[in-house]
């Protein structure tokens, strides 16, 4: 089970591509702690499932 969660990790570059964000914008989000990430030394890592959930929190409800 733990191995499956490790497969879910994205590098900074992969996370940028997954979300379609520029490097500059991603660095800003990380610095301001507005996006879930892990600092591992000098590396920024992201769990794909966390990013997917984070995107879900940004959905706007449409009024009827």
């Amino acid at each position: 089970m733990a191995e499956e969660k490790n497969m879910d990790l994205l590098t900074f570059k992969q996370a940028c591509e997954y979300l379609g964000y520029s490097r500059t914008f991603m660095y800003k989000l990380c610095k301001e702690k507005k996006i879930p990430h892990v600092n591992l030394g000098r590396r920024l890592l992201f769990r794909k499932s966390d990013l997917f959930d984070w995107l879900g929190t940004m959905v706007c409800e449409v009024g009827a």
Side-chain angles (χ1 to χ4, degrees):
M1 187 74 144
E3 291 177 14
E4 288 178 24
K5 290 193 179 231
N6 288 339
M7 296 291 186
D8 198 30
L9 289 178
L10 299 175
T11 64
F12 181 80
K13 182 179 178 181
Q14 291 169 329
C16 289
E17 292 171 359
Y18 177 69
L19 296 173
Y21 290 162
S22 70
R23 292 170 37 106
T24 304
F25 186 64
M26 281 290 284
Y27 279 126
K28 180 181 177 194
L29 290 174
C30 291
K31 182 178 179 183
E32 295 174 356
K33 297 183 180 178
K34 292 185 176 180
I35 191 168
H37 66 283
V38 176
N39 284 335
L40 189 60
R42 293 184 52 151
R43 294 182 68 190
L44 292 172
L45 298 175
F46 304 82
R47 281 195 304 197
K48 196 171 186 179
S49 58
D50 287 346
L51 295 179
F52 184 79
D53 293 342
W54 176 76
L55 283 174
T57 66
M58 298 170 46
V59 173
C60 296
E61 295 294 325
V62 177

